[in-house]
Amino acid sequence: MALLREPLLLLSRSEQLKRLVSTMPVSAGIVSSYVPGETTASVVEATATLVADGLHASLDHLGEDVLDADQADATVAAYKDVLAALSERGLARRAEVSVKLSAIGQALEANGHKIALENARAICRAARNAGTTVTLDMEDHTTTDSTLAILRDLRKDFPETGAVLQSYLHRTEADCRALAYEGSRVRLCKGAYNEPEHVAFQDKADVDKSYVRCLKVLLAGDGYPMVATHDPRMIAIASTLSSRFGREKGTYEFQMLYGIRPEEQKRLARRGETVRVYVPYGAQWFGYLMRRLAERPQNLSFFVKSLISKK
Ligand SMILES: Cc1cc2nc3c(=O)[nH]c(=O)nc-3n(C[C@H](O)[C@H](O)[C@H](O)COP(=O)(O)OP(=O)(O)OC[C@H]3O[C@@H](n4cnc5c(N)ncnc54)[C@H](O)[C@@H]3O)c2cc1C
């Protein structure tokens, strides 16, 4: 099954497959288990259900690698819309947004970095007005420096902005040290892209060992670690380390993806942990779904069935 990871990640960038698969409705079996809907109304409804279950949420308007400024503007407008809707429904205290900089202009040839920074600033302002926060997702390694530079700039005005670091990158332990300061919200994940050997660990065991080293740095530090994993071993280690470093519950949080281990999400919340569910929504679900399938090729047969039975 591990052999399927690389081809599936390559397919996640295939325009041909994307065109074929994107005609499938989001309600089709496998898609709806990972993405609750395409509209603001559907994601706000899904968020209300999670909050009623004692969970928190981070909403991601799907879309990445935007190549024109109009599309980037449309993404910013979608975030403003969902933030206003969260505030209206009284959900903003428990629900923030996650933003991919490539969806708001980072990949544009002319001034991509600057445009993404200004767009991110607009979303941070809307989030603050709604009473919540933004976390900047991390994408492939070619964007890491630009994303961390934008984070530094944003934090001058919006220190509550969250960062994401990926334990599969060799550089990440050092990045954790740099970001483990008071008030710094840092999501630690393993990393979801196909990365070359010169920048990333290739063996799962090495990625896991790095994850534990990074957890130690973040939990021993002064920031607010956000432990993003479904891995039972990593969750157990994070719990043990948080006790060892004298952290009270609520000074860190667990995060998981929508539709993955939902019972574990609720179990941790019942134990008094803060648990945030990452909820992707929107029409551009193809790349996201392919990355989830790459992590769990067992689900490939469900995906093919959904594709064959599409109306
Ligand atoms: C909240 C959140 C935000 C994220 N943000 C980013 C980001 O900004 N950038 C980025 O590159 N990546 C991001 N990721 C994805 C992340 O990098 C991993 O690709 C993904 O979480 C899978 O890694 P894992 O830690 O769950 O462990 P894995 O090594 O994939 O899995 C370990 C174990 O977890 C359990 N498990 C995993 N998946 C499932 C499943 N579908 N059903 C049941 N059990 C399962 C199994 O026991 C499995 O053996 C994010 C993940 C989360 C949870």
Side-chain angles (χ1 to χ4, degrees):
M1 283 294 182
L3 290 176
L4 286 170
R5 182 174 181 271
E6 204 168 318
L8 283 169
L9 286 175
L10 282 175
L11 283 176
S12 77
R13 299 245 149 135
S14 155
E15 279 304 315
Q16 248 178 334
L17 185 64
K18 181 176 171 180
R19 272 196 298 278
L20 170 71
V21 170
S22 297
T23 59
M24 206 160 102
V26 75
S27 55
I30 189 77
V31 188
S32 64
S33 58
Y34 290 114
V35 180
E38 295 194 358
T39 61
T40 298
S42 58
V43 75
V44 169
E45 223 31 68
T47 303
T49 305
L50 293 169
V51 168
D53 282 335
L55 300 164
H56 293 65
S58 190
L59 277 49
D60 165 36
H61 182 263
L62 290 166
E64 49 204 273
D65 296 335
V66 156
L67 293 173
D68 73 75
D70 288 347
Q71 249 182 308
D73 289 346
T75 304
V76 175
Y79 273 109
K80 288 182 177 170
D81 188 49
V82 83
L83 284 161
L86 288 172
S87 169
E88 244 164 63
R89 278 287 293 270
L91 294 168
R93 212 174 51 81
R94 284 197 162 234
E96 62 146 25
V97 293
S98 284
V99 177
K100 281 192 177 42
L101 291 177
S102 74
I104 55 170
Q106 191 181 33
L108 295 179
E109 254 171 48
N111 286 328
H113 180 94
K114 194 161 164 269
I115 292 169
L117 172 60
E118 286 321 309
N119 282 335
R121 213 187 281 286
I123 298 172
C124 286
R125 205 172 297 119
R128 185 176 287 171
N129 289 340
T132 188
T133 52
V134 175
T135 293
L136 299 183
D137 280 350
M138 190 58 86
E139 301 177 66
D140 72 73
H141 80 277
T142 62
T143 65
T144 309
D145 282 328
S146 160
T147 299
L148 291 179
I150 287 176
L151 175 84
R152 274 193 299 277
D153 268 344
L154 283 175
R155 281 188 171 178
K156 289 177 193 155
D157 295 321
F158 304 98
E160 65 274 25
T161 307
V164 177
L165 297 175
Q166 301 151 315
S167 74
Y168 62 18
L169 294 184
H170 300 146
R171 60 179 285 169
T172 293
E173 201 180 333
D175 287 333
C176 284
R177 270 196 210 96
L179 286 178
Y181 57 84
E182 200 179 332
S184 171
R185 298 166 62 242
V186 181
R187 175 196 300 159
L188 179 66
C189 63
K190 291 187 188 178
Y193 297 82
N194 203 13
E195 298 288 18
E197 213 165 340
H198 69 277
V199 295
F201 299 110
Q202 305 293 311
D203 283 357
K204 182 177 159 36
D206 291 328
V207 177
D208 287 357
K209 279 185 212 152
S210 166
Y211 196 94
V212 174
R213 287 194 301 274
C214 293
L215 269 180
K216 284 184 183 157
V217 173
L218 293 175
L219 286 164
D222 295 324
Y224 180 82
M226 305 188 279
V227 182
T229 182
H230 312 100
D231 190 335
R233 279 181 57 234
M234 296 304 129
I235 293 169
I237 291 169
S239 296
T240 307
L241 287 173
S242 58
S243 305
R244 186 192 301 167
F245 294 123
R247 279 194 174 257
E248 303 281 334
K249 290 190 172 75
T251 64
Y252 62 92
E253 69 183 42
F254 288 103
Q255 297 192 342
M256 294 189 209
L257 301 179
Y258 181 85
I260 302 188
R261 305 197 72 206
E263 288 313 314
E264 174 67 0
Q265 295 169 9
K266 286 186 251 179
R267 189 190 69 81
L268 286 168
R270 280 196 301 273
R271 220 173 70 184
E273 300 287 4
T274 302
V275 181
R276 191 176 300 276
V277 181
Y278 183 101
V279 192
Y281 73 102
Q284 303 287 317
W285 43 261
F286 174 75
Y288 178 84
L289 180 70
M290 293 306 284
R291 286 197 293 279
R292 300 295 76 81
L293 287 175
E295 282 153 16
R296 200 132 179 107
Q298 294 98 309
N299 286 343
L300 205 53
S301 62
F302 297 116
F303 174 64
V304 173
K305 271 185 216 144
S306 307
L307 197 58
I308 291 168
S309 66
K310 80 186 162 85
K311 299 239 164 45

